[in-house]
Amino acid sequence: RRSGSGGGSAMAQPEEPQPPIVPSCPLPAKICDVVRTERPRSCCGMAMAGLRTAKYQLPEWHRRNAGVYYKAFTVGEEAERGRAEAKNLVKQAAASAQRAQQYSKNTLGQRLQDIQFWRSELQKEIMELDAETNLLAAQKLRLERALDATEVPYAVVIDNLECRDRRQPPDLVIDQVERQLLKEAELIRDIRDLLKRTIIQATTQIRSNRIQKENCELDWSDKVETYHIDDKCISYCPDSTNIQSHPSSVKFEETASTPKSWAQFSHDNISSAEQEKLASVQLRALINSIIHDASEDLRLQRAAVSEAFDCHLRELAEAKLRLEQHLQQILKDIGEEEANIANLKKAIRDKEAYLKVAQTRLYDRSFRPNVELCRDEPQFRLVSEVEELTVFLEALKRKLMESEQNLKNLEETRMKLEKEIAVKANSIFIDRQKCMGYRLRYPVDLEVASYK
């Protein structure tokens, strides 16, 4: 600070303050403002005070230089150490890449052998399954021909049954012929159903064979494509011109299989194909047995039906006589019922006349004037009479309806009996001429027909 008196001034050297301890980093220049006073000051002194406070001290300068030297030395050592590590890493990476690529090439070669093995097994299974499918298709053709051969016997039986169904219901007795014909029709239907089911089963088996063959072919095709891909992959090297960077190919697909599941998939396909082939062989043996048994059953049933026809023709004449006797009794009952209906109608007309009289009396008495409109004894008697007559009339009408219904039933029965008697001779003609004559068209052995 300055101190003086009057107009003269004398500069006094102030005591140097001790520098503070600060980190070894550049300090920002700080300008110290000098407090102005009323006294006159020296301009030179003020400038020198500002310059002194903005400068570093000498120890600070040495410390800062030492820090710069140490930093440069440390960075150089780190750079040298990094270069040595990079050189070693390059050597290790090159060796590791060569080993990994050779190992990958070896595993690809082993993989190609595995693919070739399963491809050969699948190809063998495809050929065997295709041959078995062709044999089963030939057996299916036999079934279809046998099914076609049953159409004529079934048409004969149905025609016999339809011809016998032309008789009116009283003549439709379930005789031995009917039972044998129904048994024969049922037998043929069962045979046809069995043949159809077997055809469906054969069709399903053929479809299963082809589906399994398709599965094996798809597996075989995938393995052929995979073989070509892996064979191309094994030929790649760092000098190849068709290699590119594919960073996203490193990740595993969620649906990717494992070596175990991959081998199991082909094994399952071959196992399924073997099962389908075995089922196909068994089905072909079953088809032979079905055709033979069906042919023998049809031959035996045909003889039984012919014997039943001969026995039934002798029973038709006696049945016709019984029906004529029933018709005579029905005609007598119809005459009696018609007379009964006439009596009931006459009784209803008589009672209706009495009812009209009583109702007219009540109607006229309803016009009596004033107090004369009295509920006297005649009034009660007339009301009672109307109620009694109404009850009798309703009973007579119900009885008339019952009698008319009985007459209707008798007339219907008469018509049925007359119709039955009229067609009885035709029934004999149907059994003897139509049915027995048409059965001569019965075909030969079913088993032979299946080869035509």
Side-chain angles (χ1 to χ4, degrees):
R1 296 184 181 177
R2 289 178 55 206
S3 64
S5 60
S9 65
M11 298 296 295
Q13 291 295 334
E15 184 180 354
E16 291 292 335
Q18 293 296 327
I21 299 175
V22 295
S24 58
C25 61
L27 294 176
K30 181 178 181 182
I31 301 175
C32 298
D33 295 332
V34 179
V35 180
R36 293 177 179 268
T37 62
E38 297 300 331
R39 300 177 187 180
R41 298 186 177 94
S42 171
C43 295
C44 182
M46 291 176 62
M48 292 177 67
L51 291 174
R52 285 195 302 270
T53 56
K55 293 179 179 180
Y56 291 104
Q57 299 298 322
L58 186 59
E60 293 177 347
W61 180 75
H62 286 295
R63 285 195 300 270
R64 188 177 184 279
N65 289 337
V68 171
Y69 300 153
Y70 179 76
K71 183 69 174 178
F73 178 76
T74 304
V75 170
E77 285 186 347
E78 289 180 357
E80 184 178 359
R81 185 168 55 254
R83 289 192 298 272
E85 291 177 354
K87 186 175 181 180
N88 292 332
L89 182 60
V90 168
K91 292 180 179 180
Q92 293 176 3
S96 177
Q98 291 178 357
R99 288 194 304 270
Q101 191 170 93
Q102 185 61 37
Y103 182 73
S104 298
K105 188 174 183 180
N106 294 337
T107 55
L108 283 172
Q110 182 62 40
R111 186 65 171 176
L112 288 175
Q113 294 180 7
D114 295 340
I115 293 173
Q116 178 62 29
F117 169 77
W118 287 113
R119 187 174 65 175
S120 301
E121 293 295 321
L122 287 169
Q123 186 173 7
K124 175 183 176 184
E125 197 63 36
I126 289 169
M127 296 177 62
E128 293 179 356
L129 194 57
D130 185 62
E132 177 59 33
T133 302
N134 292 334
L135 293 176
L136 184 58
Q139 288 293 83
K140 176 175 173 283
L141 182 60
R142 284 192 63 202
L143 286 172
E144 292 172 349
R145 289 172 178 171
L147 180 62
D148 294 338
T150 59
E151 291 182 358
V152 174
Y154 190 70
V156 170
V157 175
I158 295 301
D159 182 76
N160 291 163
L161 290 171
E162 289 178 351
C163 288
R164 291 173 63 82
D165 285 342
R166 294 192 185 102
R167 300 171 297 172
Q168 295 299 321
D171 197 31
L172 292 176
V173 292
I174 305 299
D175 53 5
Q176 187 65 18
V177 176
E178 192 80 9
R179 284 191 288 269
Q180 291 298 331
L181 284 174
L182 291 174
K183 183 177 178 181
E184 186 176 31
E186 184 178 2
L187 175 62
I188 296 176
R189 280 195 298 268
D190 290 342
I191 291 174
R192 289 175 62 85
D193 291 341
L194 179 60
L195 292 176
K196 289 178 181 179
R197 289 197 305 271
T198 311
I199 289 174
I200 293 174
Q201 186 177 357
T203 303
T204 303
Q205 185 62 50
I206 291 174
R207 186 183 300 112
S208 298
N209 290 352
R210 289 174 178 170
I211 290 174
Q212 193 56 46
K213 176 175 171 284
E214 182 179 357
N215 292 336
C216 292
E217 287 175 343
L218 289 174
D219 194 6
W220 177 85
S221 177
D222 291 343
K223 282 178 171 50
V224 170
E225 183 178 359
T226 303
Y227 187 89
H228 292 159
I229 291 174
D230 285 351
D231 188 54
K232 181 175 66 173
C233 290
I234 204 173
S235 64
Y236 287 151
C237 65
D239 297 331
S240 299
T241 59
N242 55 345
I243 59 175
Q244 296 180 3
S245 177
H246 300 281
S248 60
S249 65
V250 177
K251 64 179 182 180
F252 286 102
E253 297 292 338
E254 295 182 358
T255 58
S257 61
T258 63
K260 183 178 180 181
S261 63
W262 173 81
Q264 187 65 37
F265 180 78
S266 297
H267 179 272
D268 292 343
N269 282 335
I270 294 175
S271 178
S272 298
E274 288 290 339
Q275 292 177 1
E276 297 297 340
K277 185 169 64 176
L278 179 60
S280 180
V281 172
Q282 294 175 349
L283 183 58
R284 286 194 291 113
L286 178 62
I287 290 172
N288 286 329
S289 176
I290 287 174
I291 294 176
H292 175 76
D293 295 343
S295 177
E296 185 66 17
D297 292 341
L298 281 178
R299 185 185 64 80
L300 295 176
Q301 185 60 31
R302 177 186 178 186
V305 172
S306 298
E307 183 179 356
F309 263 114
D310 295 335
C311 296
H312 179 65
L313 289 173
R314 296 189 294 267
E315 300 175 357
L316 291 175
E318 183 180 355
K320 180 181 177 182
L321 179 60
R322 290 198 301 269
L323 291 173
E324 290 176 349
Q325 293 174 352
H326 283 293
L327 179 61
Q328 294 298 325
Q329 182 62 37
I330 291 297
L331 291 174
K332 180 180 178 181
D333 292 339
I334 288 174
E336 294 176 355
E337 195 64 38
E338 288 176 346
N340 181 41
I341 290 174
N343 291 333
L344 288 172
K345 289 182 179 180
K346 183 177 180 302
I348 289 172
R349 288 194 299 271
D350 293 343
K351 296 302 180 291
E352 287 178 346
Y354 284 104
L355 180 62
K356 289 178 182 179
V357 171
Q359 290 176 345
T360 303
R361 288 173 177 174
L362 287 172
Y363 178 76
D364 291 344
R365 283 175 62 83
S366 66
F367 291 98
R368 288 176 294 171
N370 301 325
V371 74
E372 296 300 327
L373 188 61
C374 178
R375 288 182 289 181
D376 52 7
E377 183 63 25
Q379 185 77 11
F380 287 110
R381 184 58 198 152
L382 286 172
V383 171
S384 177
E385 181 182 1
V386 170
E387 292 176 351
E388 291 177 0
L389 289 174
T390 302
V391 171
F392 279 113
L393 277 173
E394 290 178 354
L396 289 171
K397 288 179 180 179
R398 286 196 300 270
K399 184 57 68 176
L400 177 61
M401 292 177 62
E402 292 177 1
S403 299
E404 288 176 346
Q405 184 63 39
N406 291 335
L407 179 60
K408 183 179 178 181
N409 294 337
L410 290 172
E411 288 290 345
E412 291 177 354
T413 304
R414 178 183 64 81
M415 292 176 62
K416 291 178 181 179
L417 289 175
E418 287 177 351
K419 184 178 180 180
E420 180 62 25
I421 293 172
V423 300
K424 187 60 67 175
N426 186 47
S427 298
I428 298 174
F429 171 78
I430 289 173
D431 284 349
R432 180 174 296 151
Q433 302 297 329
K434 298 284 292 181
C435 295
M436 295 296 291
Y438 194 44
R439 291 186 68 81
L440 297 177
R441 299 178 56 187
Y442 217 90
V444 294
D445 188 75
L446 185 65
E447 188 172 6
V448 176
S450 66
Y451 287 102
K452 292 182 179 180

